[in-house]
Amino acid sequence: MLLQERKSAMKAISLITTISQGHLNIWERCRREYQYRYLEELNLPEADLQRKQNLLLGANFHLLMQQKEIGLDVAELAESHADLQFWLDAFEKHPPAMIAGDRLCEHRRTLEISLSSTKSDALHLPTSLHHIDNHDHGQGYFVLTAIYDLLILGDLQGQILDWKTHQVAIPKAKLQKNWQTRLYLYLLAKTTNYAPEQISMTYWFANAAESVIINYSQADYIQTERRLVKILTEIRETKDYPKLTDSNDCKHCEFRDRCDRGELLGQVFSSNIDDIAEIEI
């Protein structure tokens, strides 16, 4: 009984204003995980040592690419681990195609938005996402936030580049559905003068030295904005965060025990884009 009471006890729920791709992906995957991770701000120690090492390696590769971009000597960092050296060599031999333009490394971009006051308006009027001035925002105020590994702003095109160190390459169709792709492209279109068709996102997979290029369109932009309005309205109004019926997503969830789904299973190589953590926002 005491164990069950511990599991169900909740901290004071935090008001969420900053929304990243992680918030959006988890909201669509499992609202109970969203509750634990973002509202109760639970942070469990990483149980899988191999996954922890993979996350650290991924973070170090992002650091290496950042230092390389600004002209620092990365030889010592690359030599600190065989995988880092392998990925750097792969990048130098098979770099992704990149446009000419101003280059912004580890660039943070935000968009302040508010929702219309009624649910029906929010769901049916995508124009209810708009810039707002600094004042008392009240309920329904959000800040969409993204950090771009490399952003290139050309005269007629904008290109987003993202480095991935997954063991298994992620199919293009899966990348297109993920909120990292959808939010990053949307934010760039919303905060610049580029038309959606002038924007693209390139994922470069270090283990395969391969690029996946995703082009943007006006239809994608409109669809993303409508979906954002719906999700943010749900986040604002939801009071219940049910757990999933037992699914594959539960098998490797760090909150598996809290949902009485048994012990965390061992790590397997995954093609899930969320398995390699981005910089925390």
Side-chain angles (χ1 to χ4, degrees):
M1 177 63 69
L2 290 177
L3 178 61
Q4 293 300 321
E5 289 176 354
R6 178 189 66 79
K7 287 182 178 180
S8 61
M10 290 182 61
K11 291 173 55 179
I13 289 183
S14 302
L15 177 64
I16 298 296
T17 55
T18 298
I19 297 292
S20 69
Q21 53 108 353
H23 292 85
L24 298 168
N25 280 319
I26 291 176
W27 181 263
E28 289 197 324
R29 182 170 72 233
C30 176
R31 296 191 182 184
R32 179 62 61 87
E33 182 183 357
Y34 184 94
Q35 172 189 322
Y36 288 151
R37 188 178 301 277
Y38 296 119
L39 301 184
E40 298 184 35
E41 297 180 338
L42 298 180
N43 186 17
L44 302 182
E46 179 60 64
D48 190 316
L49 294 180
Q50 182 60 53
R51 184 174 186 274
K52 185 176 182 179
Q53 292 174 1
N54 290 342
L55 292 173
L56 179 60
L57 266 179
N60 283 338
F61 182 66
H62 279 74
L63 176 62
L64 183 152
M65 294 299 288
Q66 179 184 16
Q67 292 181 348
K68 176 180 171 61
E69 178 63 28
I70 62 178
L72 299 180
D73 185 358
V74 297
E76 184 175 354
L77 178 56
E79 291 170 359
S80 67
H81 195 284
D83 285 348
L84 293 177
Q85 187 65 64
F86 176 81
W87 295 335
L88 176 61
D89 292 343
F91 181 83
E92 292 178 340
K93 293 177 182 176
H94 306 286
M98 290 180 275
I99 66 172
D102 295 332
R103 299 164 71 95
L104 304 173
C105 185
E106 296 299 337
H107 173 68
R108 180 187 292 268
R109 188 163 288 256
T110 61
L111 174 67
E112 296 182 356
I113 61 173
S114 66
L115 298 177
S116 57
S117 58
T118 66
K119 182 176 181 180
S120 59
D121 286 342
L123 287 175
H124 294 102
L125 293 178
T127 53
S128 64
L129 285 184
H130 56 274
H131 290 278
I132 52 180
D133 298 325
N134 292 324
H135 53 72
D136 183 11
H137 304 293
Q139 188 178 18
Y141 161 68
F142 297 97
V143 179
L144 299 178
T145 306
I147 296 180
Y148 299 87
D149 290 348
L150 180 61
L151 177 62
I152 306 178
L153 303 176
D155 291 337
L156 298 176
Q157 289 180 288
Q159 182 184 16
I160 302 164
L161 292 108
D162 194 85
W163 323 125
K164 294 298 181 192
T165 57
H166 292 69
Q167 293 287 343
V168 180
I170 301 171
K172 183 175 182 178
K174 192 168 188 176
L175 289 170
Q176 289 174 314
K177 294 178 181 179
N178 190 277
W179 271 107
Q180 182 176 9
T181 304
R182 296 160 74 182
L183 181 62
Y184 282 31
L185 288 167
Y186 175 81
L187 271 180
L188 187 58
K190 195 74 172 178
T191 59
T192 65
N193 293 323
Y194 295 119
E197 288 76 12
Q198 294 176 296
I199 295 172
S200 67
M201 184 165 183
T202 300
Y203 287 97
W204 187 78
F205 290 91
N207 276 299
E210 293 180 357
S211 299
V212 176
I213 300 172
I214 298 174
N215 295 312
Y216 206 37
S217 70
Q218 183 67 23
D220 294 329
Y221 174 87
I222 293 172
Q223 183 182 54
T224 297
E225 187 159 84
R226 287 175 175 166
R227 184 60 185 158
L228 275 170
V229 171
K230 186 174 189 300
I231 290 177
L232 296 180
T233 301
E234 291 171 350
I235 290 174
R236 180 183 64 179
E237 299 180 356
T238 293
K239 297 181 180 179
D240 184 38
Y241 303 88
K243 61 184 178 182
L244 297 176
T245 55
D246 203 359
S247 72
N248 287 332
D249 288 324
C250 299
K251 291 180 180 179
H252 303 283
C253 177
E254 64 182 298
F255 303 112
R256 179 178 174 84
D257 178 61
R258 283 186 164 266
C259 291
D260 298 314
R261 298 289 164 81
E263 297 296 329
L264 187 70
L265 298 184
Q267 171 73 8
V268 296
F269 290 140
S270 173
S271 61
N272 189 337
I273 189 173
D274 299 319
D275 283 350
I276 301 297
E278 299 299 311
I279 294 175
E280 289 296 326
I281 296 174

